[in-house]
Amino acid sequence: MSSKLVLVEGLPGFGKTTTARLVHDILTEMNIKSQLFLEGDLEHPADYDGVAYFNEYELNALLVAHEKFKDVLSHLIIKQGDHYFLEYRKIKSEYGSSFPDDLLQDVVKYDIYELSLDQNRKLITDKWKTFAENVSTNSDTFIFDCCFIQNPVTMGMIKHDAKKDDIVSYVKELANIVEPLNPLLIYVEQSDLNHSFKKAVKERPKEWSEGFIEYYTNQGYGENHSYQGLEGTLEVLKARQELEREIVDVVKINKVKVDNSCYQLNEYKVVLAGILSKYFKAKDEL
């Protein structure tokens, strides 16, 4: 059975997005229909981005605090059992200034990636279960960029400095959920973490690097280890890399580590094509 799910992981600046796009291109060239979902995709079938979660009490409190928008919010809320979801990034994009900043700030506090690790894990694993069930009879291959390992590690380690066993078990649970899809994990590595991340800092907008450094040093693992600035962020990334490598080693799914240190796109594509040929058969060869 060919894999119905390709999971691309690695540290920031290592080329995850490039890898995911190349995987999509290669599968297309093999006449294999695939769907690509990159980080931040608001339509992601197994993850949440820009989505807030409320219980009934929290939702009622929000509606009371912003009574002027009660009818609008009530219409936009997605109810699933006892869970209430608000896709605020989509809503802000559609409504613009009609969805005021003070309301947005109150909603963002309940972002699924601002919750406790236990709450986050429950909501995310439920979403992955729904995805796995929905695509079990779908002939497409799905390509996910960085939501399988990166998000649990970011929540568990970077944000909450949780116990390693709890973070590892989170990823293992996701692996168990998608096992029927015969997933392939591609873990992207580079030979020099410091160089790769500093290169990303130079190439990306200043707002990205400032936000990244603040996130990595002002909470959880970074704060508890008194790391600061760029150099402190690099220390957190080294610890994250060590944890992620351990996770890759213990998850029981098809997996391969690929070195992307050369930054030669054509050569890298050839390497990826060789990897994918072991897990997929071109449609015209069937």
Side-chain angles (χ1 to χ4, degrees):
M1 171 185 173
S2 292
S3 175
K4 295 181 68 174
L5 177 62
V6 180
L7 304 161
V8 180
E9 296 288 338
L11 294 191
F14 277 26
K16 296 187 301 297
T17 300
T18 297
T19 301
R21 286 184 171 134
L22 286 173
V23 168
H24 182 253
D25 290 345
I26 293 166
L27 292 181
T28 299
E29 291 167 5
M30 296 173 70
N31 293 320
I32 296 171
K33 187 177 178 182
S34 61
Q35 297 187 38
L36 172 63
F37 293 92
L38 300 177
E39 182 176 12
D41 194 319
L42 300 184
E43 303 297 334
H44 202 293
D47 194 28
Y48 293 103
D49 195 289
V51 179
Y53 162 79
F54 305 87
N55 59 34
E56 187 172 3
Y57 173 81
E58 293 164 340
L59 177 61
N60 287 334
L62 179 73
L63 296 178
V64 168
H66 297 277
E67 189 172 1
K68 179 180 177 182
F69 298 94
K70 182 177 180 178
D71 290 342
V72 173
L73 290 172
S74 297
H75 175 69
L76 296 170
I77 284 286
I78 300 169
K79 187 177 186 299
Q80 297 178 7
D82 296 329
H83 301 322
Y84 299 86
F85 298 91
L86 190 62
E87 298 176 323
Y88 65 84
R89 278 190 59 197
K90 283 186 183 179
I91 295 167
K92 183 64 177 176
S93 176
E94 180 180 349
Y95 282 75
S97 58
S98 298
F99 195 80
D101 289 341
D102 61 333
L103 172 56
L104 180 64
Q105 289 171 8
D106 283 349
V107 170
V108 169
K109 295 174 185 176
Y110 293 91
D111 187 286
I112 288 171
Y113 282 98
E114 293 296 329
L115 301 176
S116 70
L117 181 58
D118 287 343
Q119 285 181 299
N120 171 270
R121 177 171 175 171
K122 178 64 169 62
L123 292 169
I124 295 296
T125 52
D126 283 350
K127 186 81 179 279
W128 280 72
K129 288 174 185 175
T130 300
F131 161 73
E133 292 168 1
N134 289 343
V135 304
S136 60
T137 57
N138 192 313
S139 61
D140 293 0
T141 292
F142 291 79
I143 305 164
F144 289 172
D145 167 31
C146 79
C147 63
F148 174 65
I149 292 178
Q150 174 175 285
N151 287 358
V153 169
T154 299
M155 275 296 294
M157 175 187 173
I158 309 304
K159 186 171 185 60
H160 293 293
D161 196 17
K163 294 179 181 178
K164 181 174 71 172
D165 288 348
D166 291 338
I167 303 169
V168 174
S169 70
Y170 187 166
V171 182
K172 282 184 173 181
E173 184 175 4
L174 296 181
N176 289 335
I177 290 169
V178 297
E179 183 180 7
L181 305 180
N182 192 30
L184 169 63
L185 168 61
I186 298 177
Y187 191 74
V188 183
E189 296 201 299
Q190 298 231 0
S191 59
D192 190 335
L193 187 160
N194 285 16
H195 171 76
S196 298
F197 184 70
K198 288 180 178 179
K199 181 174 183 292
V201 168
K202 288 181 180 179
E203 294 176 347
R204 298 182 186 184
K206 185 178 180 181
E207 293 77 14
W208 177 86
S209 59
E210 289 178 345
F212 193 98
I213 290 169
E214 179 181 1
Y215 192 90
Y216 266 59
T217 58
N218 288 356
Q219 61 182 340
Y221 185 90
E223 183 177 49
N224 290 344
H225 287 76
S226 300
Y227 289 134
Q228 297 180 354
L230 176 59
E231 295 306 318
T233 301
L234 288 167
E235 292 302 315
V236 180
L237 283 169
K238 290 173 186 175
R240 172 183 158 181
Q241 183 179 57
E242 182 178 343
L243 175 57
E244 290 195 358
R245 284 173 170 171
E246 183 174 336
I247 290 172
V248 172
D249 289 341
V250 299
V251 290
K252 295 181 180 179
I253 60 176
N254 293 324
K255 57 203 171 188
V256 60
K257 296 178 181 177
V258 58
D259 192 319
N260 185 33
S261 301
C262 67
Y263 291 105
Q264 297 297 321
L265 196 63
N266 291 335
E267 293 179 17
Y268 187 49
K269 184 177 180 181
V270 170
V271 171
L272 290 173
I275 292 169
L276 293 171
S277 67
K278 298 176 183 178
Y279 297 93
F280 296 89
K281 188 179 259 321
K283 289 290 170 112
D284 55 8
E285 295 178 10
L286 297 179

